[in-house]
């Protein structure tokens, strides 16, 4: 098949469609002699007869049927390529709106998205930073095209794509007197609250202290509350209390000694990882610009964790 001459396909398709060498000549705008010549040349290249010549009409052989499917596949590939090029360079414009928890903004994926977007100057990114539960509401009400969430909620209108995994750690300032957090003293420390901390704390508690069923974010004492994760990090750095963060938000402070990972008096030693999902409505086809941005995120996330 590597040596087939595509210029011969027009005559072959015309005969396959009309089941007549005479009608094929009219369809392909060729003489009947050239139709026959092209078919013979194509049969020599394939190595098999493509039509059985009968007095009534030419009958396509199995080899002919396979060649017809091969030609269709090639045409489909060419069509897909043309559409992809046209989509990439001519039609990616307009607004793509999505929502995610504020901690995602501190991940390496967001700057990588912005870098890709530079190739599409007519594409506008409309990002909303909100609590995990509010992301669901925004997607379901079609206020955003898609969102990032930290858990799956069964809903017939939602479609989920696994994006990456996020690790959660409890941290404190070296100036804090936190030797070890265990089941007896977990409620004795001061905590810092920020949007999303309730989700992270409850994941963390269920993982490391699964038997403490009655302990949740509602059980602890908050020494500080603030409406941004960046502010909460500053409060912890200032020694006001402890808190649970995605590791990617605080790793730089752990590395330079400004924060310490709290030691846990727990039998669970495995790190806590949680799945992050991209969600969108499954009830209608979205614009190509939305699918393109989602595909960027999926490409970026391959083999990576927060």
């Amino acid at each position: 098949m590597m040596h087939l001459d595509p210029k011969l396909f027009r005559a072959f398709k015309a005969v396959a469609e009309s089941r007549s060498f005479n009608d094929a000549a009219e369809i392909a705008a060729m003489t009947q002699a050239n139709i026959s010549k092209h078919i013979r040349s194509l049969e020599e290249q394939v190595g098999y007869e493509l039509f059985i010549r009968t007095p009534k009409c030419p009958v396509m052989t199995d080899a002919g049927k396979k060649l017809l499917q091969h030609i269709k596949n090639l045409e489909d590939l060419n069509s897909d390529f043309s559409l992809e090029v046209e989509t990439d360079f001519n039609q990616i414009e307009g607004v793509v709106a999505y929502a995610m928890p504020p901690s995602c903004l501190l991940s390496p994926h967001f700057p990588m998205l912005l870098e890709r977007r530079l190739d599409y100057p007519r594409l506008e990114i409309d990002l909303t930073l909100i609590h995990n539960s509010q992301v669901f509401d925004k997607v379901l009400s079609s206020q955003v095209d898609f969102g990032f969430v930290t858990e799956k909620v069964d809903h017939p209108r939602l479609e989920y794509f696994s994006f990456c995994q996020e690790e959660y750690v409890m941290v404190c300032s070296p100036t804090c007197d936190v030797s070890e957090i265990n089941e007896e003293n977990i409620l004795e420390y001061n905590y810092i609250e920020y949007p999303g901390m309730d989700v992270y704390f409850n994941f963390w508690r269920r993982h490391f202290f699964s038997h403490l069923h009655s302990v949740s974010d509602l059980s602890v004492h908050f020494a500080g509350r603030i409406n941004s994760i960046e502010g909460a990090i500053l409060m912890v750095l200032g020694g006001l209390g402890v808190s649970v963060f995605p590791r990617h938000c605080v790793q730089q402070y752990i590395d330079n000694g400004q924060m310490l990972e709290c030691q846990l008096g727990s039998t669970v030693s495995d790190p806590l990882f949680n799945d992050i999902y991209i969600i969108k409505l499954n009830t209608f086809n979205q614009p190509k610009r939305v699918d393109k941005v989602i595909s960027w995120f999926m490409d970026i996330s391959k083999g990576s964790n927060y």
Side-chain angles (χ1 to χ4, degrees), residues 81-236:
F81 174 75
S82 298
L83 179 61
E84 184 176 345
V85 170
E86 182 181 5
T87 297
D88 279 350
F89 296 102
N90 294 323
Q91 296 183 2
I92 299 298
E93 59 179 303
V95 178
V96 175
Y98 70 100
M100 64 185 183
S103 63
C104 295
L105 195 64
L106 302 180
S107 77
H109 297 102
F110 185 67
M112 294 168 75
L113 169 73
L114 297 182
E115 184 177 351
R116 290 202 177 193
R117 182 251 169 235
L118 292 176
D119 294 330
Y120 303 88
R122 292 184 292 180
L123 181 66
E124 180 181 342
I125 300 296
D126 183 355
L127 172 58
T128 303
L129 299 177
I130 50 178
H131 191 275
N132 188 72
S133 62
Q134 295 173 298
V135 176
F136 288 101
D137 295 335
K138 288 277 189 182
V139 173
L140 287 170
S141 62
S142 298
Q143 296 180 58
V144 296
D145 297 307
F146 65 94
F148 288 83
V149 293
T150 58
E151 58 184 335
K152 270 188 174 182
V153 175
D154 289 337
H155 195 287
R157 296 176 59 213
L158 290 178
E159 184 175 6
Y160 290 82
F161 303 89
S162 293
F163 178 60
C164 70
Q165 287 190 315
E166 184 174 66
E167 183 183 0
Y168 303 130
V169 293
M170 181 170 285
V171 293
C172 64
S173 166
T175 61
C176 283
D177 184 20
V178 182
S179 57
E180 176 186 275
I181 295 181
N182 55 51
E183 61 185 45
E184 296 179 355
N185 65 18
I186 188 172
L187 299 180
E188 295 178 4
Y189 292 103
N190 293 323
Y191 290 81
I192 304 300
E193 184 182 29
Y194 62 94
M197 189 272 187
D198 55 339
V199 175
Y200 304 144
F201 178 86
N202 291 330
F203 277 139
W204 177 86
R205 196 279 303 162
R206 286 195 296 267
H207 182 77
F208 292 107
F209 299 99
S210 58
H211 55 287
L212 297 180
H213 303 292
S214 60
V215 174
S216 74
D217 64 294
L218 300 177
S219 309
V220 301
H221 173 259
F222 290 107
R225 289 185 172 90
I226 194 166
N227 64 352
S228 74
I229 189 170
E230 295 90 347
I233 291 173
L234 291 176
M235 285 186 173
V236 173

Side-chain angles (χ1 to χ4, degrees), residues 11 26-27 32 70 72 80 87 98-99 106 111 121 127 134 136 152 185 226 229 234 241-242 244 247 274 277 300 306:
E26 184 176 348
I27 293 174
Q32 187 173 342
H70 175 68
K72 182 181 184 303
D80 289 345
T87 297
Y98 70 100
L106 302 180
L127 172 58
Q134 295 173 298
F136 288 101
K152 270 188 174 182
N185 65 18
I226 194 166
I229 189 170
L234 291 176
V242 302
V244 178
R247 179 178 289 278
N274 182 57
Y277 302 96
I300 290 169
Y306 280 177

